[in-house]
C-alpha cells in the first residue's frame, strides 16, 4: 500500500479528532464562554451540518484542482480555523470557526478518498478506503480521550492548538508524499459530467444504506455514557475505557471490512447491519448487566464500522465516472445519519423511555438499513434486459 494512503489516513485522524473531541470539552467550554452546556452542544451540531453541506460544495469547488493542491489548501483552512478557535473571545466566533472547520474537513474527506482509490489497483480499493477511514476510528480510540485529558490539564483551548499542530504535520507530510501525477485523474472531469455519472438509482440506494448504517451505531454511541452510568451502573471513571473498547471494535471491524468489501460488498453490508441490529436489541434488553453490556459495546464497534469500506468503495464502483463527487456525497450521507439519528434517540429519551431506549432506536434504524441492503442485493442479481457499459458489481 502506498505511503500516501497512510498519510491521508493521518489527515483524517487529526481532523476527525476535532470532529468528536467536543464531547469531552463541553463543560469547560461552557464555563469559559459563559453559555449553557446545551448551547455549547450546538457547536457539535453545527459541525455535523457543515459536514453534510460542505462535502459536495467543496468537492465541486475544487473538482478541477490537482488533488495535492486541494488537500493542502483544505488542511490549511482547517488549521487557520483552529488557531482562530483557540483564540476565540466568545461563543459567536467559535461557532463560526466550527462551521469553517467542518466545511474544510468535509472537502478533505471527499478529495482524500478519491485520491486514495486512484493510487491503488481496483482490487485494493476497499483496503485503501479502510486505511483512510481508519484514521477516524483511531481518532475515537486515541485522539478524543487524549484531547479530554489535555483539556483537564491545560484547558480546552490547548486541545484546539494541539489539533492545529498535528494537522500542520499532516499537511507537510502530504506535500512530500502525494504527487499530482499519481493522485490526479488524467483528464479532470467537470461537475456536470460527474453529476450525470451519478444518475444511477442503485448509487442513491447505497447512500441511503450509508445513512442508516452509520445512524444505527451513532445513536447508541452518542448516549453511551449515560447508558453506562445511569442504566448499567458503572462508575464514571470507567466510561473512557468503554469508549476506547468501542473504538477498538471499530478498528477491528474496519480492518475486516477492508478485506471483504471488495469481493462481497453487499454480503459485508448484510453481516454488519445484522450484527448491529442484534447487538443493539440485546443492549436495550440487558443494559443493566455490566459484563454483557461491555461485550456488546465492543460488538457494536465491530458491526458499526465493518460496513464502512463496503459503503465507500461500492459507491465508487457504482459511479466510476464521478471520482470526486461520489466520495463527497458519501461523506454527506454518513453525516446525515450522524445528525438525525441522535435526534431520534433524544426524542425517545424525552418521551420517558429511558436511556436504554436509544439502543432500540439503533436496532430499528439498522433493520431499515438491512432491508435496504437486501433490496440492493436483489437489484444487483436481477437479470439486466438492456446492455450496460459498466460491469456488474460483485456481491
Amino acid at each position: 500500500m502506498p505511503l500516501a494512503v497512510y498519510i491521508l489516513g493521518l489527515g483524517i485522524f487529526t481532523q476527525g479528532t476535532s470532529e468528536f473531541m467536543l464531547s469531552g470539552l463541553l463543560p469547560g467550554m461552557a464555563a469559559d464562554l459563559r453559555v449553557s452546556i446545551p448551547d455549547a452542544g450546538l457547536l457539535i451540531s453545527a459541525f455535523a451540518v457543515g459536514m453534510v453541506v460542505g462535502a459536495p460544495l467543496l468537492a465541486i469547488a475544487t473538482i478541477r484542482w490537482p488533488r495535492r493542491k486541494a488537500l493542502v489548501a483544505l488542511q490549511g483552512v482547517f488549521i487557520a480555523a483552529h488557531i482562530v478557535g483557540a483564540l476565540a473571545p466568545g461563543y459567536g466566533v467559535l461557532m463560526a470557526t466550527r462551521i469553517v472547520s467542518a466545511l474544510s474537513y468535509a472537502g478533505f474527506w471527499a478529495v482524500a478518498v478519491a485520491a486514495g482509490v486512484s493510487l491503488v489497483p481496483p482490487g485494493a480499493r476497499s483496503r485503501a478506503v479502510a486505511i483512510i477511514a481508519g484514521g477516524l476510528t483511531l481518532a475515537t480510540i486515541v485522539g478524543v480521550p487524549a484531547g479530554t485529558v489535555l483539556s483537564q490539564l491545560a484547558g480546552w483551548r490547548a486541545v484546539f492548538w494541539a489539533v492545529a499542530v498535528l494537522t500542520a504535520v499532516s499537511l507537510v507530510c502530504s506535500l512530500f508524499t502525494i504527487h499530482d501525477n499519481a493522485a490526479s485523474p488524467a483528464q479532470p472531469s467537470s461537475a456536470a459530467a460527474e453529476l450525470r455519472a451519478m444518475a444511477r438509482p442503485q448509487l442513491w440506494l447505497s447512500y441511503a444504506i450509508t445513512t442508516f448504517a452509520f445512524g444505527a451505531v451513532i445513536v447508541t454511541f452518542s448516549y453511551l455514557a449515560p447508558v453506562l452510568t445511569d442504566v448499567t451502573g458503572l462508575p464514571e471513571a470507567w466510561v473512557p475505557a468503554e469508549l476506547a473498547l468501542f473504538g477498538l471494535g471499530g478498528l477491528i471491524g474496519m480492518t475486516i471490512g477492508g478485506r471483504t468489501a471488495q469481493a462481497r460488498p453487499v454480503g459485508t453490508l448484510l453481516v454488519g447491519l445484522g450484527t448491529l441490529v442484534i447487538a443493539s436489541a440485546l443492549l436495550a434488553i440487558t443494559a443493566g448487566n455490566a459484563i454483557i453490556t461491555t461485550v456488546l459495546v465492543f460488538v457494536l464497534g465491530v458491526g458499526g464500522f465493518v460496513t464502512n469500506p463496503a459503503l465507500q468503495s461500492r459507491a465508487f464502483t457504482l459511479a466510476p465516472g464521478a471520482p470526486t463527487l461520489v466520495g463527497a456525497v458519501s461523506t454527506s450521507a454518513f453525516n446525515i445519519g450522524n445528525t438525525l439519528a441522535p435526534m431520534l434517540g433524544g426524542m425517545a429519551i424525552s418521551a420517558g423511555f429511558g436511556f436504554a431506549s436509544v439502543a432500540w432506536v439503533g436496532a430499528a434504524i439498522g433493520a431499515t438499513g438491512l432491508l435496504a441492503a437486501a433490496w440492493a442485493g436483489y437489484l444487483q442479481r436481477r437479470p439486466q434486459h438492456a446492455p450496460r457499459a459498466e460491469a456488474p458489481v460483485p456481491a
Side-chain angles (χ1 to χ4, degrees):
M1 193 64 62
L3 176 61
V5 173
Y6 293 93
I7 297 303
L8 293 171
L10 173 63
I12 297 299
F13 165 75
T14 62
Q15 296 173 74
T17 295
S18 178
E19 179 179 6
F20 292 108
M21 70 184 183
L22 263 61
S23 60
L25 310 183
L26 285 184
M29 294 177 70
D32 185 38
L33 298 171
R34 298 181 181 178
V35 298
S36 67
I37 288 181
D39 283 344
L42 292 176
L43 296 168
I44 299 175
S45 300
F47 197 98
V49 172
M51 288 285 290
V52 172
V53 176
L57 288 183
L58 267 295
I60 291 172
T62 62
I63 199 166
R64 288 189 173 274
W65 291 17
R67 286 178 180 150
R68 179 191 184 200
K69 175 182 177 182
L71 291 167
V72 170
L74 291 166
Q75 288 183 98
V77 172
F78 186 88
I79 293 167
H82 277 67
I83 292 174
V84 175
L87 300 171
Y91 179 80
V93 173
L94 187 59
M95 174 67 79
T97 68
R98 293 307 286 170
I99 294 173
V100 172
S101 297
L103 292 172
S104 58
Y105 174 43
F108 182 88
W109 247 115
V111 179
V113 173
V117 299
S118 73
L119 290 167
V120 299
R125 284 179 176 176
S126 291
R127 287 188 61 197
V129 170
I131 291 170
I132 295 169
L136 184 59
T137 309
L138 194 61
T140 64
I141 300 174
V142 178
V144 174
T148 302
V149 173
L150 179 60
S151 71
Q152 293 170 350
L153 295 175
W156 66 269
R157 296 177 188 271
V159 185
F160 277 68
W161 282 112
V163 168
V165 170
L166 288 174
T167 306
V169 172
S170 172
L171 186 154
V172 172
C173 291
S174 298
L175 285 172
F176 284 100
T177 60
I178 299 172
H179 305 290
D180 286 335
N181 60 349
S184 295
Q187 294 181 337
S189 58
S190 66
E194 293 212 6
L195 286 170
R196 287 194 298 270
M198 293 177 68
R200 295 195 60 183
Q202 280 212 53
L203 175 65
W204 295 95
L205 177 60
S206 182
Y207 287 144
I209 297 169
T210 297
T211 297
F212 291 131
F214 197 64
V217 67
I218 203 66
V219 64
T220 304
F221 178 77
S222 297
Y223 296 96
L224 193 55
V227 169
L228 293 171
T229 56
D230 291 24
V231 182
T232 309
L234 290 175
E236 189 173 348
W238 280 87
V239 172
E242 294 279 345
L243 295 177
L245 184 63
F246 173 89
L248 178 61
L251 186 60
I252 292 173
M254 191 80 73
T255 302
I256 295 171
R259 295 184 179 276
T260 64
Q262 196 69 43
R264 302 195 65 82
V266 175
T268 302
L269 293 177
L270 291 172
V271 171
L273 284 162
T275 301
L276 270 179
V277 172
I278 294 171
S280 297
L282 288 175
L283 180 62
I285 296 170
T286 64
N289 186 297
I291 295 176
I292 296 177
T293 296
T294 298
V295 173
L296 291 174
V297 166
F298 174 78
V299 174
L300 280 173
V302 176
F305 284 87
V306 74
T307 60
N308 283 17
L311 291 166
Q312 296 268 15
S313 61
R314 187 168 187 269
F316 281 93
T317 305
L318 289 169
T324 301
L325 279 181
V326 72
V329 180
S330 286
T331 300
S332 293
F334 276 107
N335 281 278
I336 289 172
N338 189 25
T339 304
L340 297 181
M343 291 174 57
L344 294 175
M347 291 170 62
I349 296 170
S350 299
F353 294 111
F355 288 117
S357 65
V358 298
W360 284 121
V361 175
I365 296 174
T368 306
L370 188 61
L371 291 174
W375 179 247
Y378 166 75
L379 292 177
Q380 190 170 279
R381 291 177 174 82
R382 188 176 61 179
Q384 300 294 317
H385 300 292
R388 301 190 69 89
E390 298 168 0
V393 183

